[in-house]
């Protein structure tokens, strides 16, 4: 088979984390009783007048700047006209035009395996409204729930010609974009709930060919893995079509998670059939240079920049830095611990190791400071971890005991020094005391000691185990090694 | 007819997009009306608009926004009453068949 290369354009829809809808004040929430969050405006009843949500506009502006976009001085809303039962008004309010969207001509850097980054150009970041939800009923017919109709939706589209050239890059683009949106606090990123939806436009062409192939759009991808598998599947399907002398048809295809394959949904409508025109009910938006610069200055440090800084300044591995920065709250917890004098590597190890595991098991999240308003949060704060690492560093407790202390402080929320004191877990670091225990163990196991001296060196571990058992794991491990050798040789 | 004109097929396509059923005579009538409208734009094309700034909207206002504070919704029975058929709190529509 000839060699085909892949090109992927990405269309991402992100539901914005506002309290109310885009053009009316119906609350935004997930789930709940159907058709309970609707009003005359989002149902498009005659005589109503929509008013844009200020917070939604600010969120898109913030995202546009974080994605290095240009922001126009004027931006207007358009009507995209089509009939579908999930669209109560008969049109969707969106933003049309090359330089009209709140953000255009930007880019997002994604990390590559060799430690460098690749720039993925972004064509537009625009604001629109979500549709309702269609539910197919078992007995035939469809039911419509308009709770989601009119929820603020941000669309982020990559540029053409596409920069994304393989399934891993498609996935990494989505990972980076999702993290960025979470850092900005503009979307909750829940792909399984549909608050972040990705529709790749996929095409293949013969290696070396200049013109791009006909693209297909893939829908229903609700995980990073699905995006990756979907791109792989389409590359294979399209390559085989072309190789067999057939053509790729421009169409929208759905992704079936169970069979890991795509199926035809509909042949694409042409853009002019949407009859876009400026919405006369909505007043234009203006962005002043002062407003844009103030918003730019308020942007947080973004995940990739943070990860690079952790590697460069704190000496962390790309993997560790990646795990720490994947979630903004997690990175803040880490930075708070470092600010309190914790050693970066030690804090990182405890966080990405025991702490992450315990949080996961308990279904809790980490909190840097203050009181949680929602969900179960851990009692372990950055100060706990810093103190624990200091106790190990000072030789007060061993690493093994520290693991035990961590479990206790996770449950109780007590400070590690208190736990060490109250439970008598202080490490035994007095050489005479450790030697005495070692000698006792050797005496009690004279037979094994004899075998050891006769050359069965594997028995050394047995003696270490006995000393640790006698001291409830409190003996200084380095000292045990040293003292045991002495005791075994001299007795 | 000038350079902007709508064929009968285009008029039929626009009617289909708008979900309007027209017979042959109606279609021709609408074709004529649409072409008259486009003729008006053609007149505008002849105007000298050098130095006239494009206006994004007929109303001279900008940045009219509402605060993101949830308000009241309609009671469900009121909106469901607008539908021909409902079931389990949903508006019932014919099964969607993609064409």
């Amino acid at each position: 088979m000839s060699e085909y290369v892949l090109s992927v354009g990405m269309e991402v829809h992100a539901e914005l984390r506002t309290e109310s809808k885009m053009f009316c004040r119906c609350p935004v929430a997930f789930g709940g009783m159907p058709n309970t969050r609707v009003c005359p405006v989002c149902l498009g009843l005659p005589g109503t007048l929509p008013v844009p949500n200020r917070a939604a506009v600010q969120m898109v502006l913030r995202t546009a700047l974080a994605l290095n976009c240009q922001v126009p001085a004027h931006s207007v809303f358009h009507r995209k006209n089509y009939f579908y039962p999930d669209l109560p008004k008969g049109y969707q309010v969106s933003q049309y035009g090359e330089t009209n969207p709140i953000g255009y001509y930007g880019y997002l850097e994604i990390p590559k395996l060799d430690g460098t980054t690749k720039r993925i150009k972004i064509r537009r970041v625009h604001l629109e409204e979500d549709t309702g939800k269609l539910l197919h009923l078992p007995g035939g017919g469809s039911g419509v729930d308009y709770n989601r109709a009119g929820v603020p939706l941000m669309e982020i589209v990559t540029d053409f010609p596409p920069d994304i050239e393989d399934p891993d890059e498609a996935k990494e683009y989505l990972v980076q974009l999702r993290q960025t949106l979470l850092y900005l606090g503009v979307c909750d990123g829940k792909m399984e709930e549909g608050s972040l939806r990705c529709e790749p436009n996929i095409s293949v062409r013969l290696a070396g060919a200049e013109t791009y192939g006909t693209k297909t759009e893939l829908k229903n991808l609700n995980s990073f893995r699905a995006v990756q598998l979907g791109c792989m599947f389409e590359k294979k399907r399209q390559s085989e079509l072309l190789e067999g002398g057939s053509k790729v048809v421009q169409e929208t295809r759905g992704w079936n998670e169970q069979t890991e394959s795509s199926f035809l949904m509909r042949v694409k409508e042409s853009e002019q059939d949407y009859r876009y025109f400026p919405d006369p009910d909505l007043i234009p938006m203006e962005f002043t240079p002062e407003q844009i610069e103030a918003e730019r200055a308020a942007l947080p440090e973004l995940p990739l920049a943070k990860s690079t800084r952790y590697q460069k300044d704190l000496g962390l591995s790309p993997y560790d830095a990646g795990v720490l920065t994947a979630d903004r709250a997690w990175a803040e917890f880490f930075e708070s611990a470092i600010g309190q004098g914790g050693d970066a590597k030690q804090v990182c190890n405890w966080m990405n190791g025991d702490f992450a595991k315990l949080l996961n098991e308990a279904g809790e999240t980490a909190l840097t400071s203050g009181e949680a308003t929602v969900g179960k949060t851990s009692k372990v704060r950055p100060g706990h971890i810093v103190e624990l690492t200091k106790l190990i560093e000072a030789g007060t407790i061993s690493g093994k005991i520290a693991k035990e202390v961590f479990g206790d402080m996770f449950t109780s929320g007590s400070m590690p020094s208190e736990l060490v004191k109250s439970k008598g877990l202080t490490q035994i670091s007095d050489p005479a005391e450790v030697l005495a225990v070692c000698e006792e163990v050797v005496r009690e196991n004279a037979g094994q000691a004899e075998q050891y001296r006769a050359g069965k060196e594997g028995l050394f571990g047995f003696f270490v185990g006995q000393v640790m058992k006698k001291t409830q794991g409190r003996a200084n491990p380095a000292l045990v090694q040293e003292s045991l050798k002495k005791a075994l040789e001299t007795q | 007819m000038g350079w902007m004109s709508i064929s009968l097929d285009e008029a039929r396509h626009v009617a289909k997009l708008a979900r309007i059923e027209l017979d042959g005579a109606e279609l021709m009538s609408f074709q004529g009306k649409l072409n008259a409208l486009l003729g008006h734009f053609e007149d505008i094309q002849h105007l000298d608009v050098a130095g006239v700034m494009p206006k994004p909207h007929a109303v001279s206002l900008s940045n009219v926004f509402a605060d993101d504070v949830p308000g009241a919704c309609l009671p469900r029975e009121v909106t469901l009453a607008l539908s021909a058929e409902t079931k389990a709190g949903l508006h019932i529509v014919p099964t969607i068949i993609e064409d």
Side-chain angles (χ1 to χ4, degrees):
Chain A
M1 187 156 137
S2 323
E3 197 197 330
Y4 290 89
V5 287
L6 180 72
S7 291
V8 184
M10 294 281 260
E11 255 178 49
V12 171
H13 285 96
E15 278 181 5
L16 297 174
R17 282 182 65 182
T18 54
E19 299 289 323
S20 64
K21 289 189 180 179
M22 187 58 224
F23 299 110
C24 63
R25 304 288 70 79
C26 285
V28 169
F30 179 73
M33 298 287 280
N35 292 304
T36 49
R37 298 189 294 271
V38 290
C39 75
V41 176
C42 56
L43 288 178
L45 300 185
T48 54
L49 205 55
V51 185
N53 186 329
R54 188 193 318 275
V57 174
Q58 276 166 346
M59 286 179 186
V60 177
L61 176 60
R62 198 182 308 156
T63 308
L65 293 171
L67 296 176
N68 309 289
C69 287
Q70 296 189 41
V71 176
H74 296 275
S75 180
V76 300
F77 289 106
H78 293 82
R79 291 187 183 178
K80 178 180 180 180
N81 300 278
Y82 65 97
F83 289 110
Y84 209 66
D86 63 8
L87 195 66
K89 295 199 289 268
Y91 61 84
Q92 178 193 31
V93 177
S94 183
Q95 294 197 283
Y96 193 60
E98 183 90 5
T99 58
N100 172 63
I102 297 176
Y104 60 93
Y105 302 162
Y107 62 87
L108 176 68
E109 300 274 0
I110 62 168
K112 295 208 305 184
L113 283 176
D114 63 5
T116 60
T117 59
K118 178 170 180 175
R119 182 169 288 194
I120 309 296
K121 291 193 295 299
I122 286 168
R123 163 71 64 95
R124 55 196 283 130
V125 179
H126 79 240
L127 184 50
E128 57 184 34
E129 55 178 345
D130 212 343
T131 61
K133 255 185 192 156
L134 264 178
L135 298 119
H136 299 286
L137 302 176
S142 299
V144 199
D145 171 11
Y146 289 121
N147 282 346
R148 202 181 65 179
V151 165
L153 196 63
M154 175 167 59
E155 184 174 316
I156 302 164
V157 187
T158 55
D159 209 351
F160 189 87
D163 294 313
I164 297 171
E165 291 166 314
D166 72 55
D168 292 343
E169 283 181 3
K171 182 195 148 199
E172 194 53 50
Y173 169 78
L174 196 58
V175 167
Q176 284 300 319
L177 184 60
R178 180 176 176 276
Q179 283 181 8
T180 302
L181 300 181
L182 288 173
Y183 265 62
L184 297 172
V186 300
C187 176
D188 68 19
K190 291 179 181 163
M191 295 181 76
E192 67 288 358
E193 286 182 8
S195 49
L196 187 72
R197 310 194 280 271
C198 170
E199 284 142 29
N201 283 284
I202 305 164
S203 71
V204 300
R205 66 184 196 282
L206 270 175
E210 284 201 3
T211 45
Y212 287 83
T214 305
K215 64 188 182 183
T216 54
E217 181 177 320
L218 213 49
K219 281 184 185 284
N220 305 344
L221 300 163
N222 50 15
S223 68
F224 294 129
R225 191 177 131 79
V227 171
Q228 207 172 7
L229 288 176
C231 290
M232 281 160 74
F233 179 87
E234 272 302 294
K235 182 183 180 185
K236 186 163 178 283
R237 188 186 71 85
Q238 294 182 16
S239 304
E240 284 170 0
L241 273 177
L242 297 177
E243 192 71 6
S246 308
K247 277 184 179 170
V248 174
V249 180
Q250 181 163 344
E251 60 196 14
T252 300
R253 300 179 67 86
W255 179 249
N256 185 322
E257 188 117 337
Q258 272 74 45
T259 59
E260 294 187 351
S261 60
S262 72
F263 58 90
L264 174 66
M265 284 175 91
R266 63 191 148 103
V267 176
K268 286 282 284 184
E269 55 285 280
S270 80
E271 194 175 69
Q272 61 187 16
D273 283 354
Y274 288 127
R275 295 153 292 144
Y276 284 94
F277 66 89
D279 192 320
D281 284 347
L282 291 160
I283 300 297
M285 297 175 277
E286 265 181 34
F287 300 103
T288 62
E290 295 75 31
Q291 183 192 1
I292 293 166
E293 288 322 307
E295 199 65 54
R296 197 194 307 276
L299 289 176
E301 184 183 29
L302 294 170
L304 191 62
K306 221 183 238 307
S307 169
T308 309
R309 180 167 65 83
Y310 286 2
Q311 293 170 51
K312 229 176 109 202
D313 298 354
L314 303 173
L316 297 182
S317 71
Y319 174 80
D320 279 339
V323 175
L324 284 174
T325 54
D327 177 68
R328 187 176 174 177
W330 197 237
E332 274 169 8
F333 191 102
F334 172 73
E335 287 181 20
S336 168
I338 302 306
Q340 291 174 48
D343 172 75
K345 187 69 194 155
Q346 293 303 320
V347 170
C348 166
N349 287 347
W350 282 103
M351 279 183 69
N352 291 349
D354 291 54
F355 193 26
K357 184 167 160 273
L358 289 168
L359 285 171
N360 195 23
E361 284 167 4
E364 294 178 2
T365 51
L367 198 64
T368 301
S369 61
E371 293 304 318
T373 49
V374 282
K376 274 171 77 184
T377 51
S378 171
K379 294 179 180 129
V380 173
R381 298 294 171 89
H384 286 83
I385 296 188
V386 175
E387 197 180 279
L388 189 72
T389 57
K390 297 263 183 221
L391 288 171
I392 306 166
E393 201 184 308
T396 313
I397 53 171
S398 65
K400 189 163 175 282
I401 292 289
K403 273 179 120 56
E404 198 183 316
V405 172
F406 204 110
D408 284 348
M409 77 182 188
F410 187 84
T411 318
S412 67
S414 303
M415 290 305 285
S417 56
E418 288 166 26
L419 288 167
V420 168
K421 209 168 148 194
S422 67
K423 298 195 166 191
L425 297 171
T426 311
Q427 184 162 266
I428 305 167
S429 294
D430 174 9
E433 199 179 334
V434 174
L435 184 63
V437 179
C438 291
E439 286 170 349
E440 197 182 324
V441 165
V442 171
R443 262 200 308 280
E444 285 168 9
N445 300 280
Q448 281 90 340
E450 195 61 41
Q451 290 175 27
Y452 174 82
R453 283 192 285 266
K456 204 169 174 189
E457 286 183 2
L459 278 171
F460 192 75
F462 161 78
F463 286 103
V464 173
Q466 293 301 309
V467 173
M468 284 303 183
K469 199 171 159 193
K470 243 188 202 333
T471 57
Q472 286 97 44
R474 290 164 54 221
N476 181 321
L479 214 49
V480 171
Q481 299 272 331
E482 192 186 304
S483 310
L484 254 181
K485 277 189 187 132
K486 207 184 281 174
L488 283 163
E489 281 160 20
T490 53
Q491 278 187 23
Chain B
M1 203 59 61
W3 56 271
M4 282 194 288
S5 72
I6 283 186
S7 70
L8 202 59
D9 273 347
E10 283 167 335
R12 192 178 287 119
H13 183 61
V14 172
K16 189 185 164 219
L17 289 174
R19 300 287 198 275
I20 302 170
E21 208 178 334
L22 301 175
D23 62 27
E26 287 170 322
L27 203 56
M28 285 180 67
S29 156
F30 272 102
Q31 182 197 7
K33 286 175 184 173
L34 287 170
N35 277 324
L37 267 173
L38 289 181
H40 176 61
F41 286 106
E42 213 165 322
D43 290 342
I44 296 174
Q45 294 281 348
H46 296 306
L47 295 176
D48 180 11
V49 291
V52 180
M53 286 294 287
K55 211 165 177 252
H57 198 276
V59 178
S60 293
L61 283 173
S62 64
N63 294 342
V64 177
F65 299 118
D67 289 333
D68 183 28
V69 180
C73 302
L74 282 177
R76 184 156 74 159
E77 56 277 17
V78 173
T79 57
L80 288 179
L82 299 171
S83 234
E85 193 188 346
T86 64
K87 193 173 168 186
L90 300 166
H91 298 273
I92 301 302
V93 295
T95 305
I96 305 303
I97 300 162
E98 303 278 356
D99 55 15

